[in-house]
């Protein structure tokens, strides 16, 4: 069974943030007027946000996305799993709360709009995938580095397997019961 590794999920997030930064610097309307984006906006019944191509806020958001991508790229290249094990659950919780707020808080149009909801939703999905992969890799590492301790515990706690004569007697009794 092929699953997404945490590194691949994190590279997906970095590529997503670089793409957002690129479109913020080039033309943000390519994202905002995309048919998928508009379909998702109408399906969730969210108000649309319109930004001009020359808006200063778009440039600031482009820099923000660029810095967020670099902030994850450096520990990812260094294979710093401890960093991601600590930051991904917090990031997931924050974006989950932001996604819920952006959908439910209808009186505040700064938060309740299609851009905030869609970005937060994608972040929740990516971070959920990364968190699952990190936990699976952590469990596999624990099983790989500590198999001997688990086998020793089984041998010490199982009194039936200590004497071969007892095993033979047990097999004879069970085979006699099955034949009756």
């Amino acid at each position: 069974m092929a699953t997404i590794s945490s590194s691949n999920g994190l590279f997906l997030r970095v590529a997503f943030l670089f793409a957002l930064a690129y479109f913020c610097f080039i033309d943000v309307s390519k994202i905002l007027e995309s048919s998928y984006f508009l379909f998702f906006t109408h399906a969730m019944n969210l108000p649309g946000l319109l930004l001009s191509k020359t808006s200063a806020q778009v440039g600031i958001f482009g820099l923000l996305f660029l810095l967020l991508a670099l902030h994850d790229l450096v520990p990812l290249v260094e294979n710093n799993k401890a960093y991601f094990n600590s930051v991904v659950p917090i990031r997931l919780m924050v974006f989950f709360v932001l996604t819920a707020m952006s959908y439910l808080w209808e009186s505040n149009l700064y938060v309740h709009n299609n851009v905030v909801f869609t970005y937060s939703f994608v972040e929740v999905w990516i971070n959920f995938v990364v968190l699952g992969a990190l936990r699976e890799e952590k469990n596999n590492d624990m099983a790989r580095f500590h198999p001997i301790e688990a086998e020793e515990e089984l041998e010490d706690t199982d009194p039936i397997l200590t004497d071969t004569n007892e095993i033979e007697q047990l097999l004879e009794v069970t085979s006699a019961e099955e034949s009756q």
Side-chain angles (χ1 to χ4, degrees), residues 4-6 9 12 92 124-134:
I4 295 177
S5 69
S6 63
L12 173 68
L92 177 62
V124 165
W125 178 73
I126 290 173
N127 285 303
F128 186 74
V129 168
V130 169
L131 182 65
L134 282 170

Side-chain angles (χ1 to χ4, degrees), residues 7-180:
S7 299
N8 289 342
L10 290 164
F11 274 121
L12 173 68
R13 182 174 187 270
V14 168
F16 170 67
L17 291 171
F18 275 135
L20 285 178
Y22 173 78
F23 283 114
C24 283
F25 292 136
I26 300 300
D27 187 11
V28 74
S29 64
K30 290 185 180 188
I31 294 175
L32 297 177
E33 295 172 1
S34 167
S35 60
Y36 296 114
F37 188 76
L38 292 174
F39 181 74
F40 190 62
T41 299
H42 291 300
M44 297 303 293
N45 198 18
L46 293 166
L49 183 66
L50 298 175
L51 296 171
S52 70
K53 185 177 179 178
T54 59
S55 175
Q57 292 90 355
V58 176
I60 291 172
F61 282 115
L63 285 174
L64 178 69
F65 291 138
L66 184 65
L67 290 174
L68 285 172
L70 291 174
H71 189 263
D72 268 4
L73 185 62
V74 173
L76 182 59
V77 170
E78 292 177 352
N79 199 19
N80 190 351
K81 298 271 186 184
Y83 168 77
F84 290 114
N85 278 323
S86 62
V87 77
V88 169
I90 295 168
R91 189 185 294 160
L92 177 62
M93 181 187 65
V94 167
F95 279 114
F96 186 78
V97 169
L98 183 60
T99 303
M101 282 178 47
S102 70
Y103 185 70
L104 298 174
W105 196 6
E106 295 179 4
S107 64
N108 187 348
L109 292 180
Y110 293 116
V111 177
H112 180 71
N113 60 54
N114 59 349
V115 175
V116 173
F117 180 80
T118 304
Y119 172 69
S120 300
F121 185 81
V122 171
E123 282 282 356
V124 165
W125 178 73
I126 290 173
N127 285 303
F128 186 74
V129 168
V130 169
L131 182 65
L134 282 170
R135 296 235 171 128
E136 184 178 339
E137 290 170 3
K138 189 175 183 181
N139 289 339
N140 289 342
D141 289 344
M142 290 295 285
R144 187 178 332 128
F145 291 126
H146 301 292
I148 297 172
E149 294 174 7
E151 290 175 10
E152 288 175 356
E153 285 181 16
L154 285 176
E155 290 176 4
D156 292 341
T157 59
D158 198 358
I160 295 176
L161 300 177
T162 57
D163 188 12
T164 56
N165 291 334
E166 290 178 9
I167 294 172
E168 291 174 2
Q169 290 173 356
L170 183 62
L171 288 173
E172 289 174 6
V173 169
T174 56
S175 64
E177 287 177 356
E178 288 177 0
S179 64
Q180 292 177 355

